[in-house]
Amino acid sequence: MAGRFELYFDGEKRYRFRLTGDDGATLVTSEPYDDKPTAVAGINGIRDCASTALISDLTGGDESE
C-alpha cells in the first residue's frame, strides 16, 4: 500500500497533515502546527516509527470481540 501525506491549512490557517490510503481514505489527521517545518518534522516522525511500531491493545477485550 502506498499512502500519501497531504500538508494543508486548517480553518484557523494552521498547518496540518493527513495520511491517506491508496483508496483516498483518510487514515491519520495530525494536530495543528504553527509552522511548515514543524509539520514536516511531524510527517518524518510518523515515517520513521510507523513501520516498526508495536500494537498495544488497551480495550481489555479478547480477540473474538
Side-chain angles (χ1 to χ4, degrees), residues 56-63 65:
S56 296
D57 184 355
L58 306 177
T59 65
D62 65 23
E63 294 178 19
E65 295 180 355

Side-chain angles (χ1 to χ4, degrees), residues 3-8 15-20 28-33 35-51:
R4 175 178 165 158
F5 285 98
E6 299 174 341
L7 188 62
Y8 65 97
Y15 290 93
R16 286 184 183 260
F17 64 84
R18 64 183 150 242
L19 173 60
T20 59
V28 174
T29 301
S30 75
E31 64 187 359
Y33 294 92
D35 56 63
K36 192 174 186 176
T38 306
V40 171
I43 291 170
N44 288 330
I46 296 291
R47 282 179 160 171
D48 289 345
C49 75
S51 65

